[in-house]
Amino acid sequence: MNGYGDSGSYGLGERRTLKERAGTYALLPLRIFLGVTFVYAGLDKLTDSAFLSATGSGSIGEMMRAVRDSSAIPALVDLALKSPEGFGYAIAIGELLVGLGTLVGLCARLAALGGALISLSLWLTVSWQATPYYYGNDLPYLMAWLPLVLAGAPLFSADAFLAARRRSR
């Protein structure tokens, strides 16, 4: 097994170069970083009563009202403003589930797609007005999710464990 679900060209006694081993594990640091970051972001929001309010300093409602006119999609902000608390909970729980799915590697491509969609929605609303564009942090997060959308979590993951179990049957 080369870690990607196929037997590859490496036999049991074959040695792999450092470059080959690095390629096998290349996405693992990204997966850990994004998973931990999204778990932390979700928990941070869920434990911040000010964030989960419709009004007041630091609330999701105030933040959405502040970015409404400068966002790429004001209609998306208007939708969130219909129920700021509900939107705040949806983002927080979404971040938590995406982070856990990414760390555990369960439905990893789906979790990464969720992370990419959260990052895309935040880029188009909250950080859209950042000038120059690279000052906003949501676009780099969106780009960071894309390799995991494409590759999933082939190593040290529930997905890999379940796939190996299916193959052994």
Side-chain angles (χ1 to χ4, degrees), residues 102-117:
T102 301
L103 284 173
V104 173
L106 182 61
C107 300
R109 283 191 171 104
L110 182 60
L113 179 61
L117 291 174

Side-chain angles (χ1 to χ4, degrees), residues 116-166:
L117 291 174
I118 290 170
S119 296
L120 176 64
S121 67
L122 293 174
W123 176 55
L124 292 173
T125 55
V126 178
S127 62
W128 181 256
Q129 75 280 2
T131 303
Y133 74 92
Y134 51 82
Y135 280 178
N137 64 344
D138 297 307
L139 183 58
Y141 276 103
L142 171 60
M143 294 298 118
W145 282 112
L146 296 181
L148 297 178
V149 170
L150 296 172
L155 295 172
F156 308 116
S157 68
D159 289 347
F161 173 77
L162 295 170
R165 207 167 130 185
R166 280 191 301 271

Side-chain angles (χ1 to χ4, degrees), residues 61 64-84 87 124-125:
M64 297 310 289
R65 280 187 280 285
V67 301
R68 192 232 176 255
D69 293 334
S70 62
S71 73
I73 307 176
L76 186 60
V77 178
D78 290 339
L79 181 64
L81 284 170
K82 290 184 187 286
S83 176
F87 181 72
L124 292 173
T125 55

Side-chain angles (χ1 to χ4, degrees), residues 6-86:
D6 57 43
S7 57
S9 61
Y10 304 107
L12 291 176
E14 290 186 49
R15 298 195 106 160
R16 296 174 58 197
T17 67
L18 181 59
K19 183 178 178 182
E20 291 165 337
R21 284 186 301 207
T24 300
Y25 297 99
L27 291 179
L28 200 53
L30 183 62
R31 189 174 129 209
I32 292 168
F33 170 76
L34 289 172
V36 167
T37 300
F38 268 58
V39 166
Y40 179 77
L43 289 174
D44 189 44
K45 288 174 179 69
L46 287 171
T47 58
D48 183 356
S49 59
F51 175 81
L52 294 170
S53 299
T55 59
S57 179
S59 71
I60 183 71
E62 289 299 317
M63 181 177 62
M64 297 310 289
R65 280 187 280 285
V67 301
R68 192 232 176 255
D69 293 334
S70 62
S71 73
I73 307 176
L76 186 60
V77 178
D78 290 339
L79 181 64
L81 284 170
K82 290 184 187 286
S83 176
E85 298 97 335

